[in-house]
Structures are given as structure tokens and as C-alpha cells.
Amino acid sequence: MKVKIFYFISLVIVFAAFSFLALLNIELKKQNSLIGTFTSPIEFSTARYPQINFSLAPPISAQGAVVIDKASQVVLFEKNPNLRFSPASTTKIMTALVALEYYKLDDILTIYKSNVEGTTLRLPLNEQFTFEDLLYAMMLPSSNDATRAIAENYPGGEKAFVARMNEKAQAYNLIDTYFEEPIGLLDEKDYTTAIDLARLTSIALDNEKFSEVVATKSKQIQSLDGTKITVRNINILLDTPGVNGVKTGFTDRAGQVLVTSRNLPKDGADLIFVVMQSQDRFGDTETLLNYLDNNITFLSIHP
């Protein structure tokens, strides 16, 4: 008799435990669903859903790559989209967003450091430029001294500026992105993924000034004392029909990196291409541009 009672109690306990776990699982799924549905910072619509017509994707040298439709955020091509790589100078996409959030275009910024590593314009120490001119210098020839000046003139200096970059990465749900500095030189510490970089670019392109700058081939900037400098965009794909940005990057460890935006006038769509740790960033991107050219059908989705 006691044995039967023991088995009965055991069954009741097991049943109660399973019931509790089942209810907990349902609640967790509900919470996860809410998170996935409502916390995205990117406005997107699936009213027009892109579909690949011919899906045999070509090989590329890049170790990480992704192509997304900006409006719907649908992924059209991917290769290791969630693998972390150094962003190199594509870091400056976030640098530009933080700067555009704080500075006015005519704010005067001072060059506090002239001995900056990598690509520079050799801007003279203590020289002054408008923020707008330094923004062009940062995004077209990828000037590291202009980038450093933008960060150092921020309240609290470069450290506070970088903290804001990481705050925005968290706010944008870029969970595989971290910045140690604003230029993209510290390969062992800065990291992002192809999909995070594509999503960040989606947000950045909603900023009218950002879009204008990254689509510019050349620009003359001028210091307050009258020194004129012509800055030229090193993104050679701007000569490709429909391409209107965005940013190059390179270090020995990061390899070649490129973020590209292309408008499809016929479809009224914008595509964002990202290649990371590439041996030929322009060649890889051209391969993807050709692969998707006239290879996408946009389906109208009605509620």
C-alpha cells in the first residue's frame, strides 16, 4: 500500500514539474516573440518582398558577406553573415552617425593631434575646420586625422565619443559589434559582422547628410585660415550605375572591406552589399552586383 502511495505521489510531482516547464516554455516563447517583433530599431516593410529568380550564387573571395534589401531587410545573399571580423575603416559609418547626432554642420573643430597612424591628410596641428568639411575628409579619402579630430572635439573627448558609439550599437541591437576607437585601426579589439554592418548602414542611409556625403566623388574643403584641400572618394564603384556609397576599409589583419549601396531605379529599391576579409573587395562586390542585376522579383504582399 505504501509503495502505491509513493508511486502515486511521484507521478503527481513529475506531472506538476512537466506542467510547470511547459508553461514556462510557452511564456519564454511569448517573451522572445515580443523581443523579436518590437525591439528592432530599423523601420522595414515586407509589402514588397524580394525574391531571387536564379539562386546559384557565384563564388567570392570574401570570408564574410551579405546583401540585403534595405526596405524589407530581407537577406538576398549571405556567406558567414554572423562571423565576427574587424571592420577596419567601415567603423567610420558609426563614427559619422554619432558625430551627425551631436555636431551642427558649421561647428568649428580643432586638429589636436597630427601624428595619427594610417591614411591621413596631414592636417596641421591646431588648424580649424567646420565639422562638415571634416566629415567629407573622413568619409571620402578615409582621413584618420579628420576622424580623430571629430572624436576629440566631442564633450569628454575620444573616450566619451567611443562610449556613445557602443551605446548606439546596443540601441540598434547590433549584438556582435564593438568599437574600441573611432577609426578602425585596432583589429584585435574592434569587431562586427557582415549582417550587423549591413543593418548599421541601413540606419545610416536614412540620414540625408550621410547619404549625400558617401555618394560624393570629390569635395574641396577649407580651413579657417583659407587653406584649401581637395578630397577624393577612394570608392571606385561610385562610377557603377546605381551605386551611391558607402565606405571602404582595409588593414593587414582585416583584409579588404567594402560596404556598398545600390539603387535599382526600375524596382524603386535599394540594396546594401557588405564584403569582409576580402582579397578583392571591388571585384567581389562587382560579382554580387552582376549576380543580382535583373535577378530579383519584388512580390506585392497584401494584408
Side-chain angles (χ1 to χ4, degrees), residues 48 241-244 262-271 293 298:
R48 293 177 71 247
V243 171
N244 49 20
R262 187 186 197 186
N263 177 258
L264 305 177
K266 179 170 67 85
D267 301 300
D270 292 292
L271 304 183
D293 194 26
F298 287 86

Side-chain angles (χ1 to χ4, degrees), residues 7-288:
Y7 280 127
F8 176 76
I9 293 172
S10 298
L11 287 172
V12 169
I13 292 172
V14 170
F15 178 77
F18 275 113
S19 298
F20 172 77
L21 290 173
L23 289 171
L24 181 62
N25 186 47
I26 291 171
E27 184 61 27
L28 287 173
K29 285 183 177 179
K30 188 187 297 182
Q31 293 301 320
N32 286 338
S33 175
L34 289 173
I35 290 171
T37 303
F38 298 114
T39 62
S40 174
I42 305 172
E43 293 185 10
F44 63 93
S45 169
T46 53
R48 293 177 71 247
Y49 196 93
Q51 175 180 283
I52 298 291
N53 300 324
F54 177 71
S55 60
L56 185 59
I60 57 174
S61 71
Q63 295 304 300
V66 73
V67 181
I68 65 171
D69 169 51
K70 181 178 180 296
S72 64
Q73 293 292 295
V74 170
V75 175
L76 301 170
F77 173 89
E78 61 180 25
K79 178 180 179 180
N80 299 322
N82 299 306
L83 198 60
R84 292 178 178 178
F85 297 98
S86 167
S89 280
T90 60
T91 294
K92 292 165 184 169
I93 296 172
M94 180 64 90
T95 304
L97 277 182
V98 171
L100 284 163
E101 171 188 66
Y102 176 74
Y103 295 116
K104 295 182 178 64
L105 294 178
D106 59 357
D107 281 349
I108 305 302
L109 279 59
T110 303
I111 307 300
Y112 291 124
K113 287 183 181 177
S114 58
N115 57 338
V116 183
E117 287 182 66
T119 303
T120 72
L121 294 176
R122 297 183 179 178
L123 300 176
L125 192 65
N126 297 321
E127 189 64 278
Q128 293 184 310
F129 294 84
T130 64
F131 161 62
E132 182 177 22
D133 278 354
L134 288 181
L135 180 63
Y136 276 98
M138 175 174 72
M139 300 305 288
L140 273 59
S142 204
S143 164
N144 291 345
D145 41 0
T147 307
R148 185 76 72 195
I150 288 172
E152 289 184 336
N153 281 266
Y154 189 80
E158 183 177 324
K159 185 176 181 180
F161 189 95
V162 174
R164 182 59 183 155
M165 291 173 67
N166 287 309
E167 285 174 6
K168 290 185 80 68
Q170 291 180 15
Y172 295 156
N173 285 341
L174 306 179
I175 59 174
D176 287 308
T177 296
Y178 175 77
F179 304 106
E180 182 70 18
E181 39 76 46
I183 295 174
L185 291 173
L186 298 182
D187 293 326
E188 70 280 6
K189 294 185 178 180
D190 298 323
Y191 60 80
T192 190
T193 64
I195 191 65
D196 272 9
L197 198 48
R199 289 170 177 163
L200 172 62
T201 303
S202 293
I203 295 168
L205 288 170
D206 285 335
N207 185 294
E208 186 177 341
K209 189 62 184 180
F210 178 92
S211 295
E212 175 191 315
V213 170
V214 298
T216 302
K217 292 184 180 180
S218 67
K219 174 80 171 178
Q220 187 177 80
I221 66 173
Q222 181 174 318
S223 68
L224 262 60
D225 73 356
T227 302
K228 295 180 180 180
I229 304 171
T230 299
V231 294
R232 293 181 172 82
N233 204 319
I234 58 177
N235 183 1
I236 63 174
L237 291 186
L238 285 178
D239 292 325
T240 303
V243 171
N244 49 20
V246 174
K247 188 70 189 75
T248 59
F250 172 77
T251 65
D252 289 339
R253 183 166 173 177
Q256 299 181 35
V257 187
L258 182 63
V259 181
T260 304
S261 173
R262 187 186 197 186
N263 177 258
L264 305 177
K266 179 170 67 85
D267 301 300
D270 292 292
L271 304 183
I272 296 171
F273 300 72
V274 176
V275 296
M276 305 191 75
Q277 205 167 92
S278 168
Q279 296 175 25
D280 180 3
R281 58 190 174 187
F282 297 119
D284 281 345
T285 302
E286 284 183 314
T287 295
L288 294 175

